[in-house]
Amino acid sequence: MKIPTVILTILQAAPGALPFGFVSTFLNDFLQEQRGMTKQEATGVLLTFGVGNAVGVILSGFLGHFAYKKDIRAPPLIMGTSLILGCIPFYFLVNNVQGNNVGLASAVTVLSGILVVIPVPLERSILTNVCLPRLRGRSNAIVCIADDLGKGLGPALVSLLITSFDRQTAFNISLIGWIVGG
């Protein structure tokens, strides 16, 4: 993998392991214990993040196609911008939303879910565009391995942050992963 774009794509995806680790492993419990939501409400909020992810994947295809037709350098700008913007609603969720406002929490997680997942399909399309056909499988496999490592390391790193700080601070620190990735 000597193509700089492949290396940058992998490096862009790696820091996102922290906040995705927070969301997938700790968000439900955080909303119950720190924000006073019931188990059903917290699970519903987490479900809305998944709905946002589904919408974001579809939106990413349209945005990426449109942007690529305008300028081939535009998709990476969309990727970085959406990832950084996705931190804002999640920061609001972690620091301001209380358990008595499930509707607001759901709206915030849908918005963040849309924004933070936009880079994922665009990563794959960029790799397809910059790699020779015989190297596409290898480059996509490396990105998949990085994603899988992140699924394990993200929650582990967040749990280390929790032992060093309070949960809210640890989750705020984990959001920096999306800023760095952006």
Side-chain angles (χ1 to χ4, degrees), residues 12 15-16 19 80 83-88 172-182:
Q12 179 272 332
L83 206 50
I84 292 168
L85 289 176
C87 291
I88 297 167
N172 283 324
I173 291 170
S174 76
L175 293 176
I176 293 171
W178 281 332
I179 294 171
V180 171

Side-chain angles (χ1 to χ4, degrees), residues 51-65 114 117-118 121:
V51 170
N53 284 174
V55 171
V57 167
I58 294 166
L59 181 63
S60 176
F62 288 114
L63 281 174
H65 178 72
I114 291 169
V117 83
I118 285 175

Side-chain angles (χ1 to χ4, degrees), residues 92-174:
F92 180 76
L93 175 72
V94 169
N95 294 289
N96 297 313
V97 175
Q98 296 301 318
N100 60 355
N101 205 339
V102 177
L104 178 62
S106 297
V108 165
T109 54
V110 166
L111 177 60
S112 187
I114 291 169
L115 291 170
V116 300
V117 83
I118 285 175
V120 176
L122 293 178
E123 290 170 357
R124 294 344 190 243
S125 65
I126 287 172
L127 291 176
T128 300
N129 285 332
V130 299
C131 292
L132 295 172
R134 63 184 172 84
L135 297 175
R136 288 181 187 153
R138 187 180 310 163
S139 65
N140 278 298
I142 291 171
V143 171
C144 286
I145 290 169
D147 283 347
D148 288 343
L149 282 171
K151 288 175 188 170
L153 290 176
L157 293 173
V158 172
S159 66
L160 287 175
L161 288 172
I162 290 171
T163 60
S164 301
F165 305 98
D166 64 277
R167 289 167 54 114
Q168 184 171 340
T169 303
F171 298 153
N172 283 324
I173 291 170
S174 76

